[in-house]
Amino acid sequence: MVVSEKTLKWGLCLYPPMLFQRIWVKRFHKGFRGVDVKINKSIFNKNYNGSIFGGTIYAATDPFYALLFDQLLQREGFKVRVWLKSASIQYLKPGRGNLYFTIKVTDDMLNEAIETLNTSGKFIKAYPMEITNAEGEICATVLNEVYVRNLHQGEQPRIAY
């Protein structure tokens, strides 16, 4: 389903798994070329040591590459199924305050996906992310592997995230 940046922002901000973990979409960039996300530290996501629970950080990074590629490729005329195939995270420093990350999809990234979908019908690629604190220090790095494929004729599209 093609939606506007503002509609998807509010839909995700109010989506219970994001809302209750205090994961806040600050904004989707124009044309879904990126997203800015804030993880607010609160009593709902604080661990025993007083930092943000690692599962919250991991969950915050989960949907965004898939959502961005889905929206971008639909706007290019593709009928695709997109989801996160795998992810890995390294916690480097405790998140003792709010955390932030930005994801951007470049022309090269999008063109590579389009070319691969046109030739093989399936695109799989891993993309890195850095989660930082307010001082700009990297608290975690994440590698998300995105899976995209063209829907076959007659297959009904479903939302997979």
Side-chain angles (χ1 to χ4, degrees), residues 8-24 42 44-45 56 59-60:
L8 190 54
K9 170 200 173 349
W10 284 107
L12 285 173
C13 285
L14 298 175
Y15 181 52
M18 304 286 261
L19 178 67
F20 292 121
Q21 292 190 72
R22 301 302 190 246
I23 300 164
W24 192 256
S42 79
F44 295 108
N45 63 15
T56 297

Side-chain angles (χ1 to χ4, degrees), residues 61-75:
T61 65
D62 180 90
F64 294 105
Y65 271 115
L67 287 169
L68 292 172
F69 273 102
D70 181 61
Q71 290 298 311
L72 288 166
L73 290 167
Q74 284 189 65
R75 285 165 170 72

Side-chain angles (χ1 to χ4, degrees), residues 24-47:
W24 192 256
V25 178
K26 291 170 54 178
R27 73 179 179 110
F28 279 100
H29 301 186
K30 186 174 170 76
F32 286 100
R33 285 311 191 110
V35 63
D36 299 325
V37 179
K38 178 181 181 183
I39 306 167
N40 295 293
K41 182 181 171 193
S42 79
I43 192 166
F44 295 108
N45 63 15
K46 189 168 65 167
N47 67 20

Side-chain angles (χ1 to χ4, degrees), residues 39 53-61 86-92 129 131 139-144:
I39 306 167
F53 175 60
T56 297
I57 299 168
Y58 197 74
T61 65
S86 68
S88 64
I89 189 166
Q90 285 192 303
Y91 302 103
L92 305 173
M129 286 186 237
I131 291 78
C139 294
T141 59
V142 180
L143 192 64
N144 280 356

Side-chain angles (χ1 to χ4, degrees), residues 122-142:
K122 182 172 25 173
F123 175 73
I124 301 170
K125 179 123 186 203
Y127 296 102
M129 286 186 237
E130 292 181 341
I131 291 78
T132 61
N133 60 20
E135 292 76 37
E137 300 168 315
I138 298 173
C139 294
T141 59
V142 180

Side-chain angles (χ1 to χ4, degrees), residues 94-132:
R96 299 205 187 278
N98 297 334
L99 299 176
Y100 307 86
F101 65 91
T102 296
I103 297 172
K104 294 181 182 174
V105 178
T106 65
D107 287 338
D108 289 340
M109 292 165 67
L110 183 59
N111 290 336
E112 180 183 13
I114 290 170
E115 184 178 319
T116 305
L117 287 171
N118 283 331
T119 56
S120 70
K122 182 172 25 173
F123 175 73
I124 301 170
K125 179 123 186 203
Y127 296 102
M129 286 186 237
E130 292 181 341
I131 291 78
T132 61

